[in-house]
């Protein structure tokens, strides 16, 4: 049986932020990530859909410095570079299928959406560099947790099928509460109210998908368009310029059809319908992409549960009491959805992880 002081379950932004801070404080920490990559819902990919150091954000891509100072502070600490979401040019609005899409010039926004050079995964890479490689375990799925005299015993399943046990004094569960409740068994069981709260907390963006069309050049800008569009026709309901800081041109949009309808349509049919819509909105040049990508997060079992196939609202800040009873002193939830500030967003992950670290260090001091 292996042992550590703190086990962090989940290698996304929250998990890596917590592990980095704990390691810097001299705590023996191990990160367990079920995927074969770090990042969780953060995924920056190339035009083939493979994780890349300079690509397109199939997960979250924006942050707002004035509204989300914790994220701005972290980006500064890591020495990362940001750039503004393109907003120069007209916005296109598609009201009805039998009407020509309309163009208008929007008022300047006070809160500018910002993106990261190299994609949002640049945060993941920067955090991971400050954690020893042997402290991060990929393809390590936690399937069970059991309280013991010394803390918590975690059952860890590897991709090859092998099973191992990790003993930790404290566990930071840095994943969505709903996913935790659905995929990990507890001994003793969580009390019914706690389990219900986890189950009822929607995982932000889990019901949704993102479609990308990648081009040789951002032809819409030449036509005086920003790349931003809204549609009441679909299949995409919201579209934006996804061109990277290095100049790789792309448009992306959120399909407005639900997860079950996307599955019924099939990936290829949905992609063709999205391209046809981009042609209506931005011109015939949209029909000749270099590549197209579709990331359906509802079909990702390491993000979404069956309950996430029905769209839910944005998680709202609530009570900080995410764990109760016998588990209260050993288990801490740190997924973004548990944050009292901007839950679900990147900034929420930073805040939730910071609170978990402060809690653990306080407990260590008291002991």
């Amino acid at each position: 049986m292996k042992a550590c002081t703190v086990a962090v379950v989940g290698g996304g932004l929250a998990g890596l932020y917590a592990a980095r801070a704990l390691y810097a404080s001299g705590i023996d920490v191990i990160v367990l990530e079920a995927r074969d990559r770090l990042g969780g819902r953060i995924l920056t990919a190339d035009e083939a859909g493979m994780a890349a150091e300079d690509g397109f954000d199939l997960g979250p891509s924006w942050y707002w410095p004035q509204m989300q100072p914790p994220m701005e502070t972290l980006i500064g600490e890591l020495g990362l570079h940001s750039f503004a979401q393109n907003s120069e040019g007209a916005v296109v609005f598609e009201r009805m299928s039998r009407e020509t899409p309309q163009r208008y010039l929007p008022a300047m926004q006070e809160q500018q959406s910002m993106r990261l050079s190299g994609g949002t995964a640049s945060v993941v890479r920067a955090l991971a560099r400050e954690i020893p490689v042997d402290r991060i375990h990929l393809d390590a799925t936690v399937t069970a947790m059991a309280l013991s005299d010394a803390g918590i015993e975690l059952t860890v399943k590897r991709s090859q099928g092998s099973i191992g046990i990790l003993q930790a004094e404290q566990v930071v569960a840095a994943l969505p509460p709903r996913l935790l409740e659905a995929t990990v068994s507890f001994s003793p069981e969580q009390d019914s109210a706690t389990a219900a709260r986890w189950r009822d907390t929607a995982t932000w963006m889990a019901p949704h998908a993102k479609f990308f069309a990648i081009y040789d050049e951002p032809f819409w800008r030449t036509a005086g368009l920003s790349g931003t569009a809204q549609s009441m026709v679909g299949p995409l309901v919201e579209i934006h310029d996804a061109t990277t800081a290095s100049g790789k041109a792309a448009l992306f949009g959120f399909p407005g059809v639900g997860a079950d309808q996307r599955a019924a349509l099939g990936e290829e049919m949905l992609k063709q319908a999205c391209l046809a819509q981009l042609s209506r909105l931005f011109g015939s040049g949209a029909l000749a992409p270099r590549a197209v990508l579709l990331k359906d997060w509802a079909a990702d079992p390491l993000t979404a549960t069956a309950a996430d196939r029905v769209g839910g609202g944005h998680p709202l800040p609530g009570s900080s009491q995410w764990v109760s009873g016998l588990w209260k002193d050993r288990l801490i939830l740190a997924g973004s959805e548990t944050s009292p500030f901007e839950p679900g967003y990147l900034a929420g992950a930073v805040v939730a992880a910071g609170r978990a670290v402060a809690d653990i260090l306080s407990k260590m001091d008291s002991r």
Side-chain angles (χ1 to χ4, degrees):
M1 177 186 295
K2 293 184 178 180
C4 64
T5 304
V6 179
V8 175
V9 181
L13 175 57
L16 293 174
Y17 183 96
R20 167 182 174 258
L22 291 168
Y23 178 75
S25 298
I27 304 296
D28 178 26
V29 61
I30 286 179
V31 178
L32 301 170
E33 168 53 52
R35 291 179 170 90
D36 60 0
R37 62 170 180 83
L38 294 172
R41 283 171 280 178
I42 294 174
L43 175 56
T44 301
D46 60 19
E47 60 185 60
M50 303 301 292
E53 293 193 2
D54 180 25
F56 308 97
D57 288 320
L58 307 190
S61 56
W62 298 316
Y63 74 98
W64 295 266
Q66 292 176 286
M67 296 173 61
Q68 300 175 334
M71 192 64 188
E72 176 76 348
T73 298
L74 176 61
I75 289 167
E77 287 178 3
L78 297 175
L80 302 178
H81 301 286
S82 61
F83 66 103
Q85 168 67 33
N86 182 62
S87 59
E88 294 186 10
V91 171
V92 182
F93 179 63
E94 187 178 40
R95 189 170 74 98
M96 297 178 67
S97 61
R98 297 191 180 191
E99 291 184 359
T100 301
Q102 301 297 307
R103 300 179 179 185
Y104 64 93
L105 289 173
M108 291 300 294
Q109 296 180 346
E110 292 184 10
Q111 300 289 343
Q112 178 65 59
S113 305
M114 301 297 291
R115 295 164 56 195
L116 289 172
S117 300
T120 313
S122 59
V123 174
V124 173
R125 293 190 297 271
L127 290 172
R129 281 195 291 268
E130 298 185 23
I131 306 168
V133 174
D134 64 352
R135 300 285 91 188
I136 297 176
H137 297 254
L138 301 178
D139 289 312
T141 303
V142 175
T143 60
M145 296 187 202
L147 282 177
S148 67
D149 292 339
I152 298 178
E153 289 185 1
L154 299 93
T155 301
V156 184
K157 182 178 180 180
R158 298 287 184 171
S159 57
Q160 311 94 324
S162 62
I163 304 292
I165 299 294
L166 175 67
Q167 176 72 46
E169 293 180 23
Q170 299 277 326
V171 171
V172 175
L175 69 166
R178 177 178 281 176
L179 188 65
L180 178 66
E181 192 276 335
T183 60
V184 178
S185 63
F186 293 89
S187 178
E189 295 182 352
Q190 300 292 331
D191 67 56
S192 58
T194 295
R197 186 183 185 193
W198 295 1
R199 192 165 51 246
D200 294 341
T201 299
T203 299
W204 183 231
M205 291 305 296
H208 301 291
K210 289 181 82 170
F211 169 82
F212 286 76
I214 301 162
Y215 300 96
D216 290 326
E217 59 183 7
F219 60 87
W220 53 94
R221 296 185 183 180
T222 306
L225 300 175
S226 64
T228 300
Q230 291 184 324
S231 174
M232 298 178 69
V233 179
L236 301 172
V237 294
E238 180 183 338
I239 300 163
H240 298 277
D241 187 324
T243 303
T244 67
S246 60
K248 297 176 182 177
L251 293 167
F252 93 87
F254 297 102
V257 294
D260 290 338
Q261 189 176 356
R262 294 196 298 270
L265 282 172
E267 184 171 319
E268 287 308 310
M269 185 174 291
L270 181 56
K271 287 178 177 178
Q272 291 306 313
C274 290
L275 284 178
Q277 180 185 12
L278 293 182
S279 176
R280 294 196 307 267
L281 300 177
F282 300 107
S284 60
L287 292 174
R290 291 173 52 90
V292 295
L293 298 171
L294 179 67
K295 175 58 179 178
D296 194 331
W297 289 99
D300 186 335
L302 296 178
T303 296
T305 70
D308 291 305
R309 297 190 70 79
V310 179
H314 197 286
L316 298 174
S319 167
S320 60
Q321 189 70 32
W322 285 94
V323 184
S324 58
L326 297 173
W327 289 90
K328 185 177 179 181
D329 292 332
R330 296 293 186 179
L331 175 65
I332 302 170
L333 268 58
S336 179
E337 285 77 9
T338 70
S339 174
F341 173 81
E342 297 283 72
Y345 289 106
L346 297 170
V350 173
V351 171
R355 285 166 59 95
V357 170
D359 190 355
I360 288 174
L361 295 180
S362 176
K363 289 177 179 177
M364 296 295 178
D365 289 341
S366 66
R367 290 174 186 171

